[in-house]
Amino acid sequence: SYVLTQPPSVSVAPGQTAKITCGGNNIGNERVHWYQQKPGQAPVLVVSDDSDRPSGIPERFSGSGSGNTATLTITRVEAGDEADYYCHVWDPTTDHRVIFGGGTMLSVL
Amino acid sequence: QVRLVESGGGVVQPGGSLRLSCAASGFTFRHYGFHWVRQAPGKGLEWVTFIRYDGNNNTYAESVKGRFTISRDNSKNTLYLQMVSLRAEDTAIYYCAKELIRLSRGGPLDTWGQGTMVTVSS
């Protein structure tokens, strides 16, 4: 079965750049979406289809992907960016289910 | 304003049943596919099931197949999740989520409800 692997945690100082990776077999060939989830809240879509930003999401959030790794990049990190981040693809092996990564907790030092 | 509101969660004994609802507003409900996604306490997101815009070709996670049924009533703008034979491991917050793109599946989920808690315990 298709598996998405994310680091459990990433730490960054305010104003710096955070990179959260999502590993999967040939994930560069898949449409990857990213969600932000703050404690006690529902997930929010922050990047869709590898690199598109929904309305209202700051330009500081961007995505990219190639080979076996997709990356969510957050520039000029703010305290309010502290949250869990999840990557998501439509399972390319079965074509009938959603796969989420295990999630990465972003800590702003 | 696009909105999803879940209801129907609660405490149920192992082996019991529950039906969740997700009321939609602010968009043309019948044009979109929907998912149920759950999150056990302190855990990550787990996809549960998907229903296409026309109600056909529904798909399920292996962990719930044969026990959960997704359905929709386009006349009421409402999505449902019927859950039977519930187990302790089904304890989670259940979110409904809408596909971003009309008439599609497998795309990004642009709108999520606030979630409803299901606790399976004796």
Side-chain angles (χ1 to χ4, degrees), chain A residues 67-80:
Chain A
N68 294 322
T69 304
T71 303
L72 174 68
T73 300
I74 310 171
T75 58
R76 303 184 302 282
V77 167
E78 304 172 355

Side-chain angles (χ1 to χ4, degrees), chain B residues 76-91:
Chain B
K76 296 182 177 179
N77 290 349
T78 303
L79 175 73
Y80 302 100
L81 182 65
Q82 177 69 50
M83 305 183 293
V84 302
S85 301
L86 282 162
R87 306 166 180 168
E89 54 265 35
D90 295 318
T91 294

